Every structure is written in C-alpha cells, then in structure tokens.
Amino acid sequence: MTTSNVDARRLNVKGLLIAVGLPVVLVGALVATLLGTGAFSRENQGEDASLWLWTTQVGEIARVNGLTAATDVRFELTDAAGNAVQIEQTDTHLLLREIVTGKVSAIDLSTLELTGSAETAPGEGVRIALSDKGAFIIDQTQGLVNQVHPSTLTAIGDPLQFPAGLTGGAFDSGGSLWIGVPREGTIVQIEPQDTGAQTLATEVVAEPRQQIALTVLGDGVAVLNSTAKKMTTIRSDGRRSVADIELAGPAETADTSPGTIASVTVTDPPSVVTVDDERSKSFTIGAGASNLLGASVEFHQRIYVPDGASGLVWVYDLDGNELDRIAIESGNGPIELYHTGDTLFANALNTNQALVVSSDGNARIAEKDRNDILGGDVPPEEDESGDDEGEDSGDGETAPQVGPPGTVSNLAGTVGDGLINLSWDAAPNNGSALTKYTVEGAGKSWEISPSQRVLEITDLDNGTPYTFTVTAHNAEGAGDTATSPSITPSAEVPDPVGAVTATANNDGTVTVAWDEADGQGNEVTGYQVEAIASGAQVVVGQSGTTSLTVPEGTLDYGQQYAFQVTTLAGAAASAPSELSNTVVPFNVPNAPGDLIANTASDEAGAIDVTWSQPSHNGSAIEKYIVRGGGQTVEATTTAARLTGFSNGQAVPISVTAVNAAGESAPAETTSDTMRAPSIQISSHTATADRIDLTLALDDGGGSAKCTLLSDGIVQETVDCPGVYAVTGLYASTAYSFQVRISNPAGEITSPAYAASTTRVAGKVYFGCDVNINNTYCDSVDGVSIYSSATQSGNSIATTNTGDSYKAFCWTTGDRTIPPRGTEGGVEVDYHPGKDASNKWIKIDRAANAYIPFIWMNIDGVGKNSTGDLPKC
C-alpha cells in the first residue's frame, strides 16, 4: 500500500531549509539521478517510506530508506552550499523552492519528469505545501495563499487574501492546510478544491499581534502563544483546550509532529514543555544552552530533542525521565527531525550521518555517503569547522550581565477616526531574549509579540487625549515603562498614499517610494513607513518626502519584506496604504571564512587555496575571486589553485566573494610555493643484515621521492622517509650510500655516506690439528677453503684450527657434510658437538671464499647456530 502524504512530508520548518547552488543544476541533476534509479515509488515500502536528506558541507542529497536505514541513492549537487531550499514530497511528486531565487520546480516521481515551474518573490517569506489532496504556494509576507497544480504549478482559482505577515503552512491528516494570522490572532483551516482553495474554519487563538507558532499534530493542531504563555489545542473532532505553560526563554516548535502531544523546546534555559489538551508539563533537559538545540517532537510516547552542539538526540519519557542519548556526528551543525510513516529521521546537516528511529525506540545510524550505491563517488571532505550563518562567535569581550530588558524608545502614535496607531523601537534585551511587550491605556491592556511593534487601538473617542505605556519583558522580568505623549484621535484624516513601491539596493538599504497623498483639507506633514514580514510588523521610519531609504542593517538580509505607508497630517494619520511589492534586502557577502593557502605538492610555483562559504547576505554568491602575487583566478567552488610563481616565493593571498551587490571584503593569508629539496644522511644504526639511515631532508613543501644509491648503484625509489631502512645486506661489510631527492621544483643527491653492518666473526676447528694422529690427518694440510659452496669446486686455500675470519653470510651446498668419519674401523669425531650440515660460511679470505659450517664456530653463539649472520 502507499502511504498517505500527510506523513510523507512531515518536516519541521527549519528542517526544510537545505543548501543548493544553481537552480538549473539542482533540478537537472536530481532528475538525472532519479532516471538512473527507476521511479521514486513507495508502493513497496509500507509505512516507512524513504526521505531525501541533505548534507550541507558536501552539497549532497541522499535518499535514506526507513525500513533498512540504508542510503540507496546519493547525488552531489555542483556548487551546492549556503543557499536555502525548501523540499516537499509525496509518493508521486517532489516540489523544490530555491529560497535565494524564489524559483519553484515540480518533479513527477512516477515519470521522473520536470513538469512545471513557477516564480515567487526571492528570499524567506514564501513557502510551499504539498499533500495528496493538493499543493499551495504561500506568500507569508503578502498574506496570499495560492492553490497550484502539483505537476504544472499553474494557479487553481483565485488566491486567498489574509492580513500580511502569515506564519506556518502545513497539512493535517485530513488533507487540510493550516496557516497562522498573527495580526488577527487566528489560525485558518483551508481545503484544496478542484476550483480553488476554500476557507473551512477560522479559530481565534490569541490577541491580535501576539506571537503564535502552529504545529500540526497527528490529531489536530496546537498553537503556541509565546506572548501570553499559553497553548491552544484543537482536535480533529472539534474539542478545544487551552493550557497555561512555563516558558522561561526562546522557544523552538516543529511545523508538524507525528504524535498527539505537542512539544516545545526552550533553548535557554534548556527545557521541554509538553501539552496534552489541558495538561502541561515542563522539565529540564541535560543539553546545554545553544542555538543548535532544535525543535522537539513526541514520537510513540517519547520526546526526542535534537542537540547539534553535543551531537546527541536526547530521549525522554513523558514524565521527563531521560531514556537515552543517541549519538550522531553533527559537525557542530544542526540536527533536524523529520517523520514519515512510522519512522522518525534525525538528519545532521553538516555531516554524512543520519538516524532512523523505529516505533520501539530502536535507533540506527544511516551513512548518507555510502559508496556502494548509485552516485557513490567519494564526496568532498567535510569542513569540520562549519560556518553556521548568523551564529555570533563573539569578540572576546566579557559577556554583559543578564537582566530585565531596557526601555523602549521612540514611542509615538498617529491618529485616525476613533483610533490610534502606536509604534516604538525595540527595547534592549540585556542578554535575555524579549518575550513580549505589554501596552496599557484607554482602560485596556494588550500583550504584543516582540516582532509586532505596531498596535492599532480602536473604539476611541475623537477629541479625547490618551496616553499609553509600553513595557518590555524577558525571562528576567519586566523592564522600565515608557509613556507616550498625549495623543488625540480625530476624524479629520488625510487619504492614504497610492502606488507604493519598494526597491532593494545593493548596499543593504531599501528604498520605498509612493505617490503624494491628498490631505483632504489637512496639511500633510509627512509619511510613516512600516515593514511587514512573516509574523512581524515594525515602523522603519518617517519621511517628509515621497520616499524613504531604510538604512542598512535595519532589515534582515534574505528575508522578504513588503511595506505600507501611512499619511501624516500632524498627529492625524490615514489608513495604511496597499502593500508594496515584496523585496529582499541584500548586501555584499561577508568575507570568506577559514581561509587556508598551502604549497601545492604536485606542481612547482603553485599554491592551493581553500575557504568556507560566508553568509551571502541576501543574494546568492555568484563566484569567488582569488588573488595572489599578480595572479587572479575566479572560482565557483570553495577551492582554487594559483600558478606561475617562482620556487620558494612567499605569496600574499586574498579571496573575496561576489554576489549581485558586489565584492566582499577580502579574507587574507600568505603561503610559500614549493622549494627545491635538500637532503643528507645524518647518522645510521646497523645490525648484521640491515643499516637504517637517518635522513635530514627538506621536501621543499612538495611531494618528494627519494632514490637510494648503494655504492653508486640505483636501488629503489620511494616516498621520502625519515629513516631509510636498507635491508638484505651482508654482515661485516662496509657500504657507501647516497640518497637522491626530487620534487617538481628540483632534484639533488646527498654526499656519499659510509656505513658498515655489524661485524660477525668465526673460528676454524678441525680435530686433526689438536688430538687426532692418524693416516688421514697426516695426509692433509688442514681445512680447504673453496671459491663456491661446494667441495667439487676449486680449493683456493687451506686453514687450520684457531684461524679467525670475518663472516659475511651463510648459504647451502649440494650435500650434507658430516663432521665424523671412520678410519681403520674406528669412529673418529673431527668436531665434537657439531651436527652434520649442508651450510657454508662466506668469509673474508678472498673475494669469494667459502668454508663448510661444520669446520667453523660463529663467535658468541652455539656450535650449531649461525646467530645473526644473514643468508647469502
């Protein structure tokens, strides 16, 4: 059976963001991979379908099987690093949205064809959603929900319009889409239909402009209101529950969760909050405070918490008792949880490891970089250092003391007919993330999300002055209260402006322009501009003309923004204008990180340069420019080689990143090119058959080879060792050695070096010389020395008992010689204690001189041993 897509695409929001390079490369490469493997079908995978998992550091996507915990396909995407992508998949379709370009692509997994594409506004703020029932493109910034065909991505019906700044966008088990509308404090259930999307239900879950996060559960939905510290659960049968929760710091929630219990990770101080209808529980966890502590989920009555900082997935029961710590190599990067069927996946984005967890809690490591599968070429090495975008590495200064927040600034208001629009600038958080603002005045109070620093207060009396207070809160408590000036609503208001346009400039600023407004009898004194993003709305400035340039650093790079303009006539203000177009602020990239320049080991005059990809600051990095010593190379990967330098040259190196905004500041270092090598033999040690030469060498920074010369004759060439072991030598022998070293920059041979093997000596013993007097003994002059190891050879000399010789080696003859014989019927022992032997000893009597071993005893060992003497 095929699985329902409601499980197949259960990825949390942050888990959807993976890195990819060029758009055409991404889709083309992925389709090519699938074409090589057959259809991507789950019909034989039961309820444990495979998922595509990403490895950021190597730019590779891998498909991991939920039943076997094995990777069956992997593919490296060229230049795929740093630029986020959202992936949604079912049994039959795969959707990809390239965040940096906004391009959406559809692949039909039954035919493996690229079937459609669509353009959306680039940057964060648009997301895609996919189920077996339909597909959506959700423009969170503009508040538009568009149903599209999952194959062609063409629009189905008219888009649904909601207040700008939506959150969420995920399907439930019944095939309904859920989104959050923070400006109204509502969540909306949407049903895809053949003629276009239809709103099924709207649920009020918070006060307007409070911070809400939506998690689709296995049964129903859960809405975290971190401003009011409540969670609302709405089950599929309509039951509604509200639970008060402990929320001591910033929270991470999953976009979807397989169980019925909602789980929230508090990153600082580290803890988990669980909610089951009206019941809530909070417990501390063993992890340290970290921005790599991810969203937790409940899976089969266990809570799983990914912790990239420690390389663990923590497992707890519902009472907060620790059950397990599952180790996974994280590379100091995020670990994210996904689920499909009855399987939980944990993916380490910075390494080639993932976890597959079954319903009984059994966890298995899945190596995403297997080489025995399609696409199994060795991937690029991982950069262990990581480059976590947005992570503050600190500047070495002492951390400020954590305390309650400071006071908001620029608290002001504009007025309309029976209404006041308050706005303010963010309060300093003093080391602890802001949790809410409280606003009081006109006999009422409001709790506002930290990202919603604009509040429209209605049902006021025109002509009546009002004052309001705003107080910031964090986990340490409430800050000092700010009080607004007296503000008086009036029915005398100007018209809103028209034709609001926004332009992102290449210096990080955004220019907003509009048509001049009609004051309707009131003098127009200026205009106020608000920026709207997913879940956020803030005033970014006022202008006395019909344009405003939002300063660099005010808005987040890579995030989508739309703008509204309010006409001001003194204290009176118009209704907000229509939304502008969406733009993404961008600037030049940061300087490349982790710059390393090394001497190229295989080429003279060359330097190899590597670096890590920096933050692109809202615009995709198009290339890198590597400069050094008058040479310039452009690269699209994070590695390059500079060539053409002289040997041993010190070269200053710089690398810059280039995007649509221009060239970054340089990362700089220095490296030397390869030098010609040098070598000498500094000392040696010796045994009877071996000399170890200690080399003092300089490989010049290159891949050097060493060739041994023994008595001027070339022996062998090897990678240069620190100690060159010369084996197979004769004992008691002097040698002359040289070592020739070469690399691509040059070659040199060491001076001659004399060394000898250990001296081994032996003495002759022949019984006739000492105690035997008979006919045989009287007929010989002693023991013969031969020119070869055989008695049939020529005798070149004789020797007698007590004569001593240096021994070089031993060999075997053509027969075994006994040291005993019979003379006149009497047994005679010419060498008592000596065994018969076929061995011969080569000695220093002549150039080639051999004596039978039965007539020689090697010094220092037993009569029948050759000791350390090597074989010839």
Side-chain angles (χ1 to χ4, degrees):
M1 60 177 289
T2 56
T3 62
S4 171
N5 169 71
V6 65
D7 286 328
R9 51 93 194 104
R10 284 287 172 246
L11 310 183
N12 67 51
V13 174
K14 291 192 175 180
L16 294 168
L17 301 183
I18 63 174
V20 71
L22 301 176
V24 175
V25 172
L26 167 66
V27 176
L30 182 55
V31 172
T33 300
L34 294 171
L35 284 169
T37 64
F40 178 56
S41 172
R42 298 177 185 165
E43 63 183 19
N44 295 321
Q45 296 176 355
E47 295 184 351
D48 294 278
S50 300
L51 282 183
W52 288 100
L53 301 178
W54 178 252
T55 306
T56 302
Q57 301 296 79
V58 296
E60 188 172 83
I61 195 168
R63 192 173 64 186
V64 177
N65 185 289
L67 282 175
T68 64
T71 303
D72 52 26
V73 180
R74 51 186 283 236
F75 192 87
E76 180 181 354
L77 303 178
T78 305
D79 302 332
N83 301 323
V85 161
Q86 181 188 355
I87 291 182
E88 291 281 333
Q89 59 187 307
T90 69
D91 293 334
T92 55
H93 292 91
L94 180 70
L95 299 186
L96 306 145
R97 179 175 182 266
E98 301 155 21
I99 305 300
V100 71
T101 65
K103 181 179 179 180
V104 182
S105 302
I107 296 173
D108 187 327
L109 293 175
S110 62
T111 62
L112 307 178
E113 294 179 349
L114 178 62
T115 57
S117 64
E119 299 295 333
T120 67
E124 301 285 356
V126 171
R127 65 169 303 168
I128 52 179
L130 178 66
S131 81
D132 290 331
K133 299 294 183 64
F136 284 90
I137 298 176
I138 305 160
D139 190 328
Q140 297 173 319
T141 304
Q142 293 282 345
L144 294 173
V145 178
N146 299 270
Q147 184 179 348
V148 295
H149 193 283
S151 294
T152 64
L153 298 179
T154 54
I156 300 177
D158 295 327
L160 300 178
Q161 176 71 67
F162 298 93
L166 304 178
T167 63
F171 280 95
D172 64 17
S173 58
S176 293
L177 178 75
W178 288 88
I179 61 169
V181 189
R183 294 179 73 178
E184 293 181 339
T186 60
I187 59 172
V188 180
Q189 183 184 19
I190 299 169
E191 183 179 57
Q193 295 187 351
D194 292 341
T195 56
Q198 177 181 345
T199 299
L200 293 182
T202 299
E203 299 283 347
V204 177
V205 293
E207 294 294 326
R209 301 182 187 277
Q210 293 185 331
Q211 184 171 345
I212 59 174
L214 179 64
T215 299
V216 175
L217 301 174
D219 177 21
V221 295
V223 183
L224 171 67
N225 182 340
S226 56
T227 307
K229 296 184 179 179
K230 295 181 181 294
M231 180 170 281
T232 301
T233 305
I234 302 173
R235 299 297 183 184
S236 56
D237 61 4
R239 290 181 295 115
R240 181 186 180 109
S241 306
V242 179
D244 293 323
I245 60 174
E246 297 180 25
L247 204 61
E252 292 284 342
T253 57
D255 183 53
T256 64
S257 182
T260 60
I261 296 174
S263 181
V264 179
T265 301
V266 179
T267 59
D268 188 10
S271 60
V272 166
V273 178
T274 61
V275 175
D276 186 5
D277 294 331
E278 298 91 353
R279 299 178 297 278
S280 69
K281 181 184 290 290
S282 177
F283 55 87
T284 59
I285 59 177
S290 167
N291 62 354
L292 294 177
L293 198 57
S296 56
V297 299
E298 181 262 324
F299 179 67
H300 286 278
Q301 303 294 297
R302 301 179 187 91
I303 304 296
Y304 292 82
V305 188
D307 180 7
S310 62
L312 295 172
V313 176
W314 301 81
V315 186
Y316 296 87
D317 65 18
L318 298 183
D319 292 323
N321 299 307
E322 184 181 322
L323 300 178
D324 199 2
R325 300 180 187 184
I326 308 172
I328 178 173
E329 184 181 343
S330 68
N332 197 34
I335 301 170
E336 295 177 345
L337 302 180
Y338 325 116
H339 58 93
T340 176
D342 209 21
T343 304
L344 184 71
F345 292 80
N347 184 35
L349 294 180
N350 274 14
T351 76
N352 278 306
Q353 282 197 350
L355 288 172
V356 178
V357 184
S358 58
S359 59
D360 61 1
N362 179 46
R364 293 168 290 171
I365 288 287
E367 297 291 348
K368 293 179 285 180
D369 61 345
R370 281 179 56 190
N371 279 328
D372 57 345
I373 57 174
L374 184 68
D377 294 329
V378 177
E381 293 182 2
E382 295 180 14
D383 177 5
E384 296 294 335
S385 66
D387 187 14
D388 297 318
E389 188 173 312
E391 185 173 336
D392 186 4
S393 61
D395 57 6
E397 297 181 0
T398 302
Q401 184 175 356
V402 177
T407 308
V408 304
S409 57
N410 294 328
L411 174 58
T414 60
V415 300
D417 186 3
L419 61 85
I420 291 174
N421 270 298
L422 283 181
S423 64
W424 58 91
D425 290 344
N429 65 21
N430 290 343
S432 177
L434 298 179
T435 57
K436 66 180 178 181
Y437 293 103
T438 56
V439 181
E440 295 182 341
K444 297 180 180 179
S445 64
W446 299 263
E447 291 186 337
I448 304 299
S449 162
S451 62
Q452 298 279 350
R453 299 195 303 274
V454 176
L455 176 63
E456 181 181 278
I457 302 168
T458 58
D459 298 326
L460 302 177
D461 295 327
N462 290 332
T464 300
Y466 296 89
T467 60
F468 297 89
T469 62
V470 177
T471 306
H473 298 254
N474 64 13
E476 302 299 315
D480 293 334
T481 296
T483 302
S484 74
S486 179
I487 309 171
T488 304
S490 171
E492 302 297 323
V493 296
D495 284 346
V497 304
V500 181
T501 60
T503 303
N505 305 312
N506 62 7
D507 59 357
T509 64
V510 173
T511 298
V512 185
W514 54 89
D515 292 343
E516 187 173 358
D518 184 344
Q520 292 295 333
N522 302 292
E523 180 185 358
V524 175
T525 58
Y527 303 91
Q528 179 170 284
V529 181
E530 298 175 9
I532 299 170
S534 174
Q537 181 178 7
V538 295
V539 173
V540 292
Q542 292 186 359
S543 173
T545 66
T546 56
S547 68
L548 173 73
T549 297
V550 183
E552 180 271 333
T554 303
L555 304 173
D556 294 334
Y557 298 140
Q559 174 67 53
Q560 292 183 4
Y561 290 92
F563 298 86
Q564 287 182 316
V565 179
T566 301
T567 309
L568 304 178
S574 71
S577 68
E578 295 293 328
L579 278 176
S580 74
N581 57 297
T582 297
V583 296
V584 177
F586 68 102
N587 208 333
V588 296
N590 290 352
D594 306 314
L595 177 62
I596 299 174
N598 288 322
T599 303
S601 63
D602 58 350
E603 181 180 358
I607 293 175
D608 287 325
V609 187
T610 62
W611 58 92
S612 61
Q613 180 166 336
S615 169
H616 56 63
N617 288 339
S619 175
I621 293 175
E622 300 167 355
K623 63 182 179 180
Y624 299 93
I625 301 177
V626 185
R627 299 179 176 93
Q631 307 290 335
T632 299
V633 170
E634 293 187 357
T636 56
T637 64
T638 56
R641 172 171 285 191
L642 292 173
T643 60
F645 305 112
S646 59
N647 290 344
Q649 180 178 345
V651 181
I653 304 293
S654 72
V655 181
T656 58
V658 180
N659 67 6
E663 194 170 340
S664 73
E668 297 176 325
T669 189
T670 300
S671 182
D672 297 332
T673 58
M674 189 189 307
R675 305 175 303 280
S678 64
I679 193 167
Q680 65 178 2
I681 302 171
S682 61
S683 62
H684 76 281
T685 60
T687 63
D689 64 346
R690 169 175 172 156
I691 294 176
D692 288 339
L693 302 173
T694 299
L695 306 181
L697 64 87
D698 178 1
D699 64 9
S703 296
K705 294 288 187 179
C706 283
T707 301
L708 176 70
L709 291 83
S710 178
D711 295 327
I713 300 174
V714 173
Q715 303 298 313
E716 61 176 344
T717 299
V718 297
D719 292 333
C720 292
V723 175
Y724 209 128
V726 187
T727 59
L729 304 179
Y730 288 169
S732 314
T733 304
Y735 293 89
S736 177
F737 297 106
Q738 290 174 287
V739 178
R740 180 178 300 144
I741 186 171
S742 63
N743 69 13
E747 177 181 283
I748 193 170
T749 302
S750 71
Y753 182 90
S756 298
T757 51
T758 301
R759 186 178 188 277
V760 177
K763 288 184 179 181
V764 176
Y765 183 93
F766 180 53
C768 289
D769 295 327
V770 291
N771 57 10
I772 299 177
N773 187 16
N774 55 35
T775 303
Y776 173 73
C777 289
D778 290 341
S779 66
V780 299
D781 295 326
V783 178
S784 291
I785 297 174
Y786 297 87
S787 60
S788 61
T790 172
Q791 286 182 307
S792 62
N794 295 325
S795 173
I796 59 176
T798 60
T799 185
N800 292 281
T801 299
D803 291 343
S804 182
Y805 297 94
K806 287 192 295 184
F808 299 127
C809 57
W810 65 268
T811 186
T812 55
D814 55 359
R815 62 190 178 88
T816 298
I817 305 172
R820 283 163 283 281
T822 302
E823 293 193 28
V826 179
E827 290 288 337
V828 180
D829 191 349
Y830 300 104
H831 197 159
K834 194 75 165 182
D835 296 337
S837 175
N838 67 345
K839 290 182 179 180
W840 290 67
I841 307 298
K842 185 175 184 180
I843 59 176
D844 65 338
R845 179 64 181 263
N848 287 292
Y850 295 85
I851 187 172
F853 179 46
I854 60 170
W855 310 128
M856 175 168 275
N857 294 325
I858 302 300
D859 292 351
V861 296
K863 286 187 176 185
N864 294 300
S865 172
T866 57
D868 293 333
L869 195 66
K871 187 175 182 180
C872 297

